Every structure is written in structure tokens, then in C-alpha cells.
Amino acid sequence: MPKQTFFNLPEDKRQTLINAAEKEFSRVPLFQASISNIVKSACIPRGSFYQYFEDKEDAFFYILNKQAEHRQGNFVSLLRKYDGDLFDAMTEMFQLILKESPKEDNLNFLKNTFLNMTHKVENSFSRIFSDNGGGAVSSLKKLTPWLIKRN
């Protein structure tokens, strides 16, 4: 999780840093990623990076979690849009993913994540899809009464 100083940055500076980190993690897997490349691309001093994140893993997992939250939110919205019809929601979700395909960095980020899966990455995905807190299962449980009422 980023440090509070990261969240105190203006939105455009936060986005510049995230884009630089995402670019690096799309270029190479996490274990080969270089903080030097991230800070160079973001045009910030190396010391500033450590004011915002503990290390490159911290930045990587922040980006991974943000991407997963975004996709999860899209899917829940699609379920609502299609009155709980899982097939229609999945079809449109697949189409949204295909539209993202031209954004090569998104695909390479995910490719590097999955092809270089570690225990820590696996645990991060487990939390995203877990039943406690804000995971996908929790979101679907909140949506279930609405879906049942609709049928």
C-alpha cells in the first residue's frame, strides 16, 4: 500500500508515477523491474519514489489491486445492467477486455504477472477474490438479494 505522501500528491503526478511503474512492470516481470527506470520515466528523484512506496513490490501490488478492483467493478455493473444474466455480463466483459487489447502495456502487465506468478502474487489474487472485506465474492453476495428479487 502506498504511503500517505503518495495520496497527498496532485492527481496528475500520482498518475504519472503509476503510468511509469505500469510501463516498467509491462516491460519486464516484477523481479527484473528497475526502480531507476520508473523514476526516470516519471521524472522524479529516486528518493521521492521511497517517500511514496516502500519498494517496487509495494508499487506493483498497488497497481495490480487497482486493476483488479476496476475489472471487478465493471463486472458487477454489467451484472446489474443485464439483470443478473451471467452470460450477457460475461460476453460484454470479454468485449471490454478485447477493447483494452490495443493497449499493449495492459496485456503485458498481466502477462508478466501471470507468467511469473509467485506465492505473494497468488495471495494478492486470493485477497481480491476472497469472501472477507471487499473481494469479488463479497460484492456478489451484496448483489445476490437484488438478483433474487429481480427473478
Side-chain angles (χ1 to χ4, degrees), residues 108-123:
N108 286 335
F109 179 86
L110 291 173
K111 178 185 84 173
N112 284 334
T113 299
F114 287 114
L115 291 178
N116 298 283
M117 185 76 72
T118 65
H119 181 67
K120 198 170 181 181
V121 172
E122 186 178 344
N123 284 343

Side-chain angles (χ1 to χ4, degrees), residues 90-105:
M90 287 297 293
T91 300
E92 188 165 336
M93 186 71 179
F94 181 69
Q95 289 171 347
L96 287 172
I97 291 169
L98 289 178
K99 284 180 186 175
E100 283 184 357
S101 293
K103 299 176 185 169
E104 195 71 28
D105 284 350

Side-chain angles (χ1 to χ4, degrees), residues 1-16:
M1 183 71 171
K3 298 177 183 178
Q4 187 57 46
T5 53
F6 173 77
F7 296 108
N8 293 340
L9 286 171
E11 177 61 30
D12 62 322
K13 291 187 185 259
R14 273 197 319 257
Q15 199 54 52
T16 298

Side-chain angles (χ1 to χ4, degrees), residues 1-125:
M1 183 71 171
K3 298 177 183 178
Q4 187 57 46
T5 53
F6 173 77
F7 296 108
N8 293 340
L9 286 171
E11 177 61 30
D12 62 322
K13 291 187 185 259
R14 273 197 319 257
Q15 199 54 52
T16 298
L17 180 54
I18 292 303
N19 290 345
E22 207 166 35
K23 180 180 174 183
E24 179 66 4
F25 298 131
S26 296
R27 188 182 69 79
V28 294
L30 171 61
F31 69 91
Q32 291 178 339
S34 164
I35 292 174
S36 295
N37 289 341
I38 295 170
V39 299
K40 182 178 177 183
S41 180
C43 298
I44 62 169
R46 187 179 183 95
S48 293
F49 179 87
Y50 291 106
Q51 288 181 335
Y52 308 135
F53 296 100
E54 288 293 326
D55 50 27
K56 66 183 178 184
E57 287 85 1
D58 193 23
F60 174 83
F61 286 108
Y62 175 73
I63 293 168
L64 180 63
N65 287 329
K66 281 297 184 191
Q67 286 192 6
E69 286 172 10
H70 173 72
R71 285 181 175 83
Q72 176 187 338
N74 283 347
F75 185 67
V76 170
S77 294
L78 291 171
L79 277 174
R80 284 193 173 114
K81 176 181 176 180
Y82 292 108
D83 291 329
D85 186 315
L86 189 60
F87 294 105
D88 285 343
M90 287 297 293
T91 300
E92 188 165 336
M93 186 71 179
F94 181 69
Q95 289 171 347
L96 287 172
I97 291 169
L98 289 178
K99 284 180 186 175
E100 283 184 357
S101 293
K103 299 176 185 169
E104 195 71 28
D105 284 350
N106 285 341
L107 292 176
N108 286 335
F109 179 86
L110 291 173
K111 178 185 84 173
N112 284 334
T113 299
F114 287 114
L115 291 178
N116 298 283
M117 185 76 72
T118 65
H119 181 67
K120 198 170 181 181
V121 172
E122 186 178 344
N123 284 343
S124 184
F125 276 110

